[in-house]
Amino acid sequence: MSTRKQPLDRLSVDDYFDVLASWLDLESDAERARMAVRRQMRNTRDAERTGETILGLQLQDHRTGLAGRFLFDFAKVGGKPLPLNRLKVGSPVVISDADDPGDQGIAGVVSSRKQNQIQVATDKWPDARYFRLDLSPDETTRRRQLAAMASGRVAKGRAKQLRDLLLDKRPIRHGDVDDVEFRSDLNPPQQDAVRFALASPDVAILHGPPGTGKTTTLAEVIYQAVERGDRVLACAPSNTAVDNLLERLVAMMPNVLRVGHPARVFESLRGHTLDELVDADPSSDVIRDMRRELDELMRSASRSHRGRDARKRRSLLYSTAGDLRSQIRSLERSVVRGIIDSSDVICTTTTIDEDLLGDAMFDVVVIDEACQCTESSVWQAILRADMVVMAGDHCQLPPTVLSDQAAAEGMRDSMMHRLIEREGKSIYRRLTVQYRMNQAIMEFSSREFYDGSLIADNSVVDHKLCDLPNVVSSELTDTPLMFIDTAGANLNEQLESDGESKLNPGEGKLVVRLATELLDAGIQREQIAIIAPYAAQVRWLRNRMELRDVEIDTVDGFQGREKEVVLITLTRSNESGEIGFLGDTRRTNVALTRARRKLIVIGDSATLGGNEFYARMLEYFEQQNAYRSVFEFDID
C-alpha cells in the first residue's frame, strides 16, 4: 500500500515529510503548467480573462524601498482601469516584455494596487516599452517550506517534542486553567477559550465559527501571553488575515511589529510596519541619502547613452548601483535587528522571512486561519515555538490547492483539521455566540456544521433589513430568508466559451432584478454582496450596468467578510444532477454565513435535491416559509 494513502498520523517522521514534499512537487508542476497555458494566450481578452495576467502596462514611476528593492508603478496606457485580476498584495509575479513572447521576465511581488495602477517590488530593473504581469509560481515560499521540513526531520529539543506530538508519536498534554483578568469584554465561551489556550503547555485550538469573534478572542490570548512575559509570533496564511489581527493588537499593546510585505495596512497601523519603523530610526537619515544616490544612478543608467562606450558606461553605473545597494542592506540589517529584538509580538504571514527573523524563538506561536494552511506551510512557524495556538474553522474553506492529485491525496486537509479529527474535543474550544447573523440565517449552518451549538447574540437575533435607516418595508426587507427555486424554468447552466467555467444567465437576470428591488427599497450598494461559485457567473454579473458598485465575487473572495444582504446564485442547473464543486459543502457554508440581515439563495431544486445536504437545505427554507418559485417573478 502506498504510504501517501495512509493517514499522516500513521507514517514515520521521514515518510510524513516525504509525502508533504511530494505534494509540493505536484503543486509546483500544476502552477507551472497553468502559467505556460496563460503565456500562450496572446489575445488580450483571453489572457486577461483568467485574472492571472495583465497586459499592455507602462512603467509610470519608481522608487527605492526597504532593503534596496525597487518599487515600480505600472498602469495601462491612458490610465485605463486594470482588468479584474487575482494579483493581490503579496502575490508573486513575473514582469516581462509584452512584445517578446520569449522573455522569461524577472520575479517580483505585488506591493500595492489601485483601480488603475499596480505596484511591484523587485530586485532588478525591467527593460521594455510595454510590460505584462503574470501571477507566478511561488518558488520562494516552496523553498522556505522545504527548508523548514528538512529541519523538522532532524529537529532536537523542544522542536522535536512538538513535532512528535503533532505527528501522534507522543501524547499532547493538558494544563490546569488559571484565573485570568480579561482586558476585553468577552462572552463566557470566549473567556473559556482564552483560559484553555493559556493553560495548554503544547497545543491549543480555538474553533471560531462565522461571526463568533475569533480574532477578538485570539488577540486577548496574545495580550495575556505578553502580560505574563511571553514573546509571541502571530501568523496567518494571507496578508489580509495578518492585518486583521494586527488591527486588534495595536489597540491593546505598544510593541507590535508587522514584518513582510505590508498588505492594505490602514493609515493608523502603518507606524507598526517594519518599513515605517526602519524609516523612523535616526540612523536611517544616512540610508535615505544613499537611496537618493541609488535612484539617481539607476535613472542615469536607464537613459539612452550614445557613443562607442555607451554599453560600458551603462554597465559601470549598474555595477556601482549594486555595490551601493549592498551597503544599504548592511546598514538596514542592523536597524532591523534592533527593532525585531525589541518587539513583544511579531506579525507575519506563515511564509516567514528567515533572513529577517534569523534563529529567533518564541514562547507562543499563534497561527490564525490555520484551516487555510496546508500542512507544509505551518512548519516554519511551529519550529520556532515553545507552545502553539491554532485558530480557524475547519467547516469553512480549506487550503487552496491547484493539483488535483495532491488534493485527492490529502493536501487540502489542514493540520488543525487533522488534530481535531484525531484528538476530539480535548484539544479545542469552540466559540458559540455569534454577532453577525439573524437567527434564521444562522440556524441551518449551526445544525449542519456546528452540532446546533451556535447562539445568536441579542443584538442580532432578529435584526432585518427594514430596521436599517431609510429602508422601505416590503417582503424583501421584512424577512431574513428567501430561496428561489428555478426548477422547470429552463434556466440552464452554460459553459463559458473557453469551456473552463460555468454560468447561468437566467439566474443572473433574476439576481439583477432582486438587487434592483433592494436598491429601490433603500438598501445602499455597499450593503449588498452577490456570491457565485463559478468565476464565469461572476464575470457575467460584473458586466451588468445595473450592478455597478455592488460587490460581486466568488465564495473564496468573501471568506471572512460580511454584508447586510447577500444574494447567492448557485448556477448549476442540468438534467443529470451534476453539482461539481458545490459538492464541497464547506464552500456553501461560507456563502450562507456572509449575510447579516437577509440571505437570498437562487438554485434549481431538481439539480440540487439529489444531494443530501442540499435536500436538507431546501427543506429548511420550506420550514421557514422562505421558499419561492421563480414563476412568481417576472424575468425578461
Side-chain angles (χ1 to χ4, degrees):
M1 181 178 179
S2 173
T3 55
R4 62 179 66 181
K5 292 184 181 298
Q6 296 182 36
L8 292 179
D9 292 322
R10 296 183 185 176
L11 301 177
S12 69
V13 170
D14 282 338
D15 284 345
Y16 166 83
F17 285 116
D18 284 345
V19 168
L20 299 195
S22 73
W23 289 346
L24 286 177
D25 286 343
L26 290 169
E27 191 71 353
S28 179
D29 291 344
E31 287 184 342
R32 282 196 295 268
R34 193 160 76 164
M35 184 174 179
V37 170
R38 288 203 315 272
R39 291 193 63 81
Q40 291 172 3
M41 296 179 180
R42 303 311 301 170
N43 179 279
T44 301
R45 181 175 178 273
D46 289 340
E48 293 187 332
R49 190 170 59 181
T50 66
E52 299 177 357
T53 295
I54 305 177
L55 297 176
L57 294 170
Q58 287 185 315
L59 180 58
Q60 298 292 307
D61 197 4
H62 81 276
R63 62 182 182 276
T64 305
L66 183 62
R69 65 178 182 252
F70 300 117
L71 302 176
F72 295 108
D73 294 330
F74 294 99
K76 288 274 192 178
V77 177
K80 295 178 182 178
L82 299 178
L84 298 170
N85 64 82
R86 297 176 54 211
L87 277 56
K88 301 177 181 179
V89 173
S91 295
V93 293
V94 171
I95 310 167
S96 61
D97 187 339
D99 297 322
D100 180 4
D103 182 19
Q104 296 300 304
I106 60 177
V109 175
V110 176
S111 52
S112 74
R113 51 178 285 178
K114 300 176 183 177
Q115 185 178 8
N116 59 354
Q117 180 177 289
I118 188 166
Q119 184 184 83
V120 179
T122 182
D123 291 331
K124 297 180 180 179
W125 190 283
D127 190 10
R129 183 184 178 193
Y130 295 104
F131 298 90
R132 66 179 283 162
L133 292 183
D134 288 282
L135 190 65
S136 168
D138 195 350
E139 295 301 331
T140 298
T141 294
R142 207 170 341 269
R143 285 196 299 270
R144 289 175 178 174
Q145 291 180 10
L146 287 169
M149 288 155 49
S151 298
R153 290 177 188 264
V154 297
K156 297 179 180 179
R158 181 55 177 159
K160 180 180 185 296
Q161 292 175 351
L162 274 177
R163 180 201 70 190
D164 289 348
L165 63 88
L166 290 171
L167 299 184
D168 205 20
K169 312 303 179 193
R170 59 189 299 157
I172 294 176
R173 299 172 296 167
H174 304 286
D176 297 325
V177 178
D178 295 327
D179 288 334
V180 176
E181 187 175 339
F182 295 99
R183 186 188 189 282
S184 305
D185 183 17
L186 304 181
N187 62 48
Q190 291 172 329
Q191 292 180 3
D192 181 47
V194 172
R195 294 191 190 97
F196 174 72
L198 293 172
S200 300
D202 297 324
V203 180
I205 292 175
L206 306 186
H207 180 197
T212 55
K214 171 181 62 67
T215 303
T216 298
T217 307
L218 202 55
E220 182 73 21
V221 170
I222 294 170
Y223 170 81
Q224 295 292 342
V226 171
E227 282 292 292
R228 72 184 184 188
D230 290 346
R231 194 166 185 231
V232 180
L233 177 66
C235 303
S238 70
N239 282 300
T240 300
V242 175
D243 288 338
N244 287 339
L245 186 56
L246 175 70
E247 183 180 18
R248 302 298 178 97
L249 292 174
V250 298
M252 302 172 73
M253 61 192 82
N255 296 322
V256 182
L257 172 65
R258 171 69 157 97
V259 302
H261 286 279
R264 293 179 291 197
V265 178
F266 301 131
E267 189 73 37
S268 60
L269 303 179
R270 288 177 184 164
H272 295 271
T273 63
L274 186 59
D275 292 64
E276 291 283 334
L277 291 171
V278 168
D279 197 53
D281 189 275
S283 61
S284 289
D285 288 340
V286 175
I287 296 174
R288 275 190 287 273
D289 289 340
M290 295 172 72
R291 283 182 182 168
R292 282 191 286 270
E293 184 180 349
L294 176 61
D295 283 345
E296 184 54 41
L297 281 169
M298 295 307 301
R299 283 195 178 91
S300 179
S302 66
R303 297 189 197 105
S304 60
H305 295 277
R306 297 181 179 180
R308 188 169 48 189
D309 296 331
R311 181 172 294 179
K312 183 177 180 181
R313 289 176 58 198
R314 191 174 188 181
S315 176
L316 180 60
L317 286 169
Y318 278 133
S319 176
T320 303
D323 293 340
L324 187 57
R325 288 175 65 201
S326 296
Q327 296 176 42
I328 291 172
R329 283 197 182 100
S330 179
L331 287 172
E332 284 179 336
R333 198 171 290 121
S334 63
V335 177
V336 166
R337 177 52 49 200
I339 293 170
I340 287 175
D341 290 344
S342 64
S343 300
D344 294 326
V345 183
I346 295 177
C347 298
T348 180
T349 63
T350 47
T351 303
I352 295 170
D353 189 334
E354 304 287 350
D355 291 336
L356 284 177
L357 292 192
D359 58 358
M361 302 295 291
F362 298 85
D363 302 292
V364 178
V365 167
V366 169
I367 305 175
D368 195 10
E369 303 296 356
C371 290
Q372 294 178 48
C373 300
T374 61
E375 288 253 355
S376 56
S377 68
V378 297
W379 281 103
Q380 271 191 282
I382 288 172
L383 293 176
R384 294 177 178 274
D386 185 63
M387 181 267 173
V388 178
V389 178
M390 298 183 188
D393 181 9
H394 56 288
C395 302
Q396 295 190 67
L397 288 176
T400 299
V401 175
L402 297 179
S403 167
D404 292 338
Q405 182 179 342
E409 291 178 4
M411 192 177 184
R412 280 203 183 108
D413 294 327
S414 66
M415 181 182 288
M416 176 177 154
H417 191 183
R418 177 171 62 81
L419 291 172
I420 289 176
E421 291 285 305
R422 189 183 85 200
E423 302 288 333
K425 294 184 178 179
S426 67
I427 200 171
Y428 75 90
R429 292 293 183 270
R430 177 185 292 159
L431 309 179
T432 56
V433 181
Q434 66 87 17
Y435 299 88
R436 175 187 301 166
M437 296 167 277
N438 180 294
Q439 182 171 341
I441 298 173
M442 171 201 78
E443 190 60 35
F444 177 71
S445 285
S446 178
R447 295 178 190 177
E448 288 290 319
F449 297 97
Y450 308 110
D451 307 314
S453 63
L454 298 191
I455 301 167
D457 184 74
N458 288 335
S459 61
V460 302
V461 64
D462 194 35
H463 66 175
K464 296 183 286 289
L465 290 177
C466 60
D467 300 326
L468 293 171
N470 304 316
V471 172
V472 177
S473 178
S474 69
E475 182 186 16
L476 272 182
T477 63
D478 289 353
T479 58
L481 283 176
M482 180 181 289
F483 179 86
I484 302 176
D485 189 358
T486 66
N490 293 319
L491 303 185
N492 298 322
E493 66 188 54
Q494 303 174 11
L495 266 180
E496 205 172 24
S497 58
D498 60 10
E500 292 188 359
S501 187
K502 292 179 172 60
L503 68 155
N504 190 319
E507 285 191 12
K509 291 176 182 178
L510 185 54
V511 168
V512 171
R513 156 142 187 201
L514 292 166
T516 301
E517 289 187 17
L518 288 165
L519 293 167
D520 291 343
I523 307 300
Q524 302 301 306
R525 290 181 180 270
E526 63 270 16
Q527 295 174 319
I528 302 173
I530 300 172
I531 300 177
Y534 289 89
Q537 185 76 339
V538 170
R539 285 190 281 270
W540 189 95
L541 290 163
R542 284 176 172 173
N543 285 329
R544 304 306 108 186
M545 281 298 297
E546 301 94 329
L547 301 178
R548 67 187 185 282
D549 299 326
V550 172
E551 194 165 2
I552 306 167
D553 213 334
T554 59
V555 178
D556 300 63
F558 274 99
Q559 173 89 350
R561 307 280 308 286
E562 63 183 64
K563 291 284 187 176
E564 297 294 348
V565 54
V566 171
L567 298 93
I568 304 171
T569 162
L570 294 174
T571 307
R572 299 307 302 262
S573 178
N574 54 73
E575 293 182 358
S576 59
E578 291 290 331
I579 62 173
F581 57 68
L582 286 181
D584 184 349
T585 56
R586 291 175 295 183
R587 307 180 70 84
T588 304
N589 183 37
V590 173
L592 294 175
T593 54
R594 300 306 97 195
R596 290 175 50 79
R597 300 169 187 263
K598 181 76 177 190
L599 172 65
I600 301 173
V601 182
I602 302 170
D604 181 353
S605 65
T607 300
L608 300 169
N611 178 281
E612 293 182 359
F613 170 84
Y614 290 102
R616 291 193 297 271
M617 186 186 78
L618 293 169
E619 182 181 359
Y620 177 75
F621 276 93
E622 288 182 353
Q623 292 171 350
Q624 296 293 316
N625 194 30
Y627 174 89
R628 299 289 183 273
S629 170
V630 70
F631 294 107
E632 300 176 38
F633 300 83
D634 293 325
I635 308 175
D636 295 333

